[in-house]
Amino acid sequence: DSGVTQTPKHLITATGQRVTLRCSPRSGDLSVYWYQQSLDQGLQFLIQYYNGEERAKGNILERFSAQQFPDLHSELNLSSLELGDSALYFCASSSSGETEAFFGQGTRLTVV
Amino acid sequence: DAKTTQPPSMDCAEGRAANLPCNHSTISGNEYVYWYRQIHSQGPQYIIHGLKNNETNEMASLIITEDRKSSTLILPHATLRDTAVYYCIVRVGLGAGGTSYGKLTFGQGTILTVHP
């Protein structure tokens, strides 16, 4: 158990819908990262927050957004969902950019 | 972040040492070498990291060449449960400035298959 909790574990939704994925980082970790892993692609970095502020942005679509709340949990919002958004979404946390990041078990999103 | 090059796949016999190489010839002085693995769609698991010196923990050893342009992850006694995709990543630390703030950029990794 990495200490990073992601909910829900599985999510099935229809095209055009909006979903919210939640991540609770390890206790004390200030940095949260979101990744997407599709079947045909590797782990793609989406976005990083550090102590509530956005710090780095990767290949995140405009339909996707994220935030980190004062209690340090983070949410990834995916809207206008398309079939191609079906993927595993992982959250990771670290205490700083120099310490190791620990990953949650992911949310498997299926868009039908 | 520096780009890494890893062989796409490797095999290893159970009980033998698995040596996974990684080239990172463009690594900067403030970049760390990290190793993660991913077992069948589970969340990536941190293994080990280092800056200049060799490192060892309960899972593995990390050997970094003196010029830091390559490294080797060693699993001393591989088991069937070590079958996974292994990722070598170079990562800028938080204190190094810039805007990456320690994000991890994953490549394709090495698929390690441990055989009985």
Side-chain angles (χ1 to χ4, degrees), chain A residues 3 9 13 18 21-22 25-28 30 37-38 40 43 48 54 60 62 73 78 84 103 110 112:
Chain A
K9 287 188 171 51
T13 190
R18 172 189 169 95
L21 313 184
R22 183 186 169 100
R26 293 188 320 152
S27 178
L30 300 176
Q37 187 173 36
S38 307
D40 57 348
L43 282 152
Q48 178 197 1
E54 181 184 305
I60 187 166
E62 285 192 9
H73 91 271
L78 316 175
F103 283 75
T110 303
V112 298

Side-chain angles (χ1 to χ4, degrees), chain A residues 3-12 19-25 34 73-78 89-92 103-109:
Chain A
V4 177
T5 303
Q6 290 188 247
T7 56
K9 287 188 171 51
H10 301 277
L11 194 52
I12 301 175
V19 297
T20 297
L21 313 184
R22 183 186 169 100
C23 171
S24 295
W34 285 98
H73 91 271
S74 179
E75 292 180 355
L76 180 66
N77 299 297
L78 316 175
Y89 291 85
F90 290 105
C91 167
F103 283 75
Q105 288 306 299
T107 293
R108 182 176 293 277
L109 173 67

Side-chain angles (χ1 to χ4, degrees), chain B:
Chain B
D1 293 341
K3 181 182 169 66
T4 62
T5 304
Q6 299 178 251
S9 64
M10 292 184 65
D11 290 329
C12 179
E14 190 176 20
R16 305 297 293 269
N19 297 289
L20 291 91
C22 178
N23 286 321
H24 31 79
S25 58
T26 59
I27 192 169
S28 301
N30 59 7
E31 288 182 315
Y32 294 76
V33 179
Y34 279 77
W35 284 84
Y36 280 77
R37 72 181 182 184
Q38 188 177 24
I39 299 172
H40 188 56
S41 298
Q42 296 180 19
Q45 177 188 23
Y46 165 80
I47 301 173
I48 198 167
H49 77 283
L51 183 62
K52 296 179 185 177
N53 301 319
N54 298 337
E55 302 288 344
T56 296
N57 63 20
E58 66 278 3
M59 287 183 68
S61 295
L62 173 60
I63 309 298
I64 302 174
T65 58
E66 193 169 341
D67 63 8
R68 302 210 323 125
K69 292 184 177 182
S70 65
S71 61
T72 301
L73 177 74
I74 302 172
L75 307 179
H77 305 286
T79 70
L80 299 179
R81 288 177 295 180
D82 292 322
T83 292
V85 181
Y86 287 77
Y87 298 98
C88 169
I89 301 163
V90 291
R91 180 196 195 201
V92 177
L94 180 66
T99 58
S100 67
Y101 277 82
K103 73 176 182 181
L104 294 161
T105 301
F106 288 81
Q108 295 305 305
T110 296
I111 300 171
L112 175 68
T113 304
V114 181
H115 298 284

